[in-house]
Amino acid sequence: MADANATSIYELDDIGKTGCTIYAVANVGDDMFKDLNGSGYPTNATTLDNIRNLSYNVGDDVSLDLPVTGIPMVGSLSGANMSTGAVYTVELKALMARVDLNLSLEADHTNASFGYPAMSVTDVTINNIPKSVPFTAPTSESSIDNGLISATKEINSNTIYNSDAKLSYTFYVFENMQGTKNPTIPAGANNSNLVIKTPPFDKHYP
């Protein structure tokens, strides 16, 4: 498991080759890359395009917690010359987003004697979570077919009262490139003040 500031050192045996591309993948587990034919190389990563087109998929085993293997990350560096003693650093980008949820009460009407308003949280459900995340950012919404699922996290929270504290929770979800669709406006509705913002796809991906 690698954190944001971790550095791993690998020695490559392709000495003498020039114009190489180094592609690095971290925290995807041992099952992501397997040598199924005894070639000494992962069967699903025989070319650079193979790797770029891969997706990290957990199926229905979606959790709102940080994965046991750590946050999956990818990165690449082009134009590397494999000379003796050459050192290259590949910057990795996370394929998951951290979501911080902060809840507080700021009611105008309160009664401390009766202890209200008050709030406690027992569980949180997040909908439309992607089951997988592509190594390369899709260029359009139509290219995404990773399925969506809901996940619930049980929380043993304290009860907070008006303006005295807040509840804070952290979740981790795969980067979601689903984009934003324009809503269907009912006939006859007054939409003169309706503002629809559709951000570009690259704003949703590392």
Side-chain angles (χ1 to χ4, degrees):
M1 175 177 174
D3 60 35
N5 298 314
T7 301
S8 297
I9 299 176
Y10 297 92
E11 294 185 2
L12 305 178
D13 57 4
D14 296 327
I15 300 300
K17 294 185 178 180
T18 60
C20 299
T21 296
I22 301 174
Y23 200 100
V25 181
N27 300 337
V28 296
D30 296 334
D31 294 333
M32 184 74 197
F33 298 101
K34 289 186 175 181
D35 178 11
L36 301 179
N37 55 18
S39 65
Y41 298 93
T43 306
N44 60 344
T46 56
T47 67
L48 182 58
D49 284 341
N50 286 156
I51 300 176
R52 286 173 172 166
N53 291 328
L54 289 175
S55 293
Y56 180 58
N57 194 320
V58 296
D60 291 338
D61 190 23
V62 174
S63 171
L64 299 179
D65 295 318
L66 187 67
V68 176
T69 56
I71 295 178
M73 297 183 289
V74 298
S76 63
L77 183 147
S78 301
N81 297 323
M82 299 294 102
S83 59
T84 302
V87 176
Y88 295 98
T89 299
V90 180
E91 180 180 352
L92 301 181
K93 294 183 178 181
L95 298 181
M96 297 192 80
R98 171 177 166 170
V99 180
D100 294 321
L101 177 63
N102 298 307
L103 304 174
S104 61
L105 291 174
E106 296 182 5
D108 293 331
H109 301 285
T110 181
N111 189 316
S113 298
F114 291 96
Y116 67 81
M119 178 175 62
S120 60
V121 178
T122 58
D123 60 71
V124 174
T125 298
I126 299 181
N127 298 313
N128 298 328
I129 301 173
K131 299 180 181 180
S132 65
V133 57
F135 284 8
T136 301
T139 57
S140 67
E141 182 183 0
S142 61
S143 65
I144 305 166
D145 186 21
N146 57 17
L148 299 174
I149 198 171
S150 298
T152 298
K153 181 175 182 178
E154 294 185 0
I155 297 172
N156 296 320
S157 70
N158 297 321
T159 299
I160 63 171
Y161 301 92
N162 192 47
S163 301
D164 72 336
K166 68 178 180 179
L167 300 176
S168 299
Y169 310 103
T170 297
F171 309 101
Y172 294 88
V173 294
F174 289 137
E175 290 287 351
N176 189 349
M177 285 282 295
Q178 297 300 319
T180 303
K181 293 184 178 180
N182 292 342
T184 300
I185 302 174
N190 181 3
N191 62 350
S192 59
N193 295 322
L194 181 63
V195 177
I196 300 175
K197 294 182 178 181
T198 305
F201 285 100
D202 58 7
K203 297 300 183 183
H204 297 276
Y205 206 83

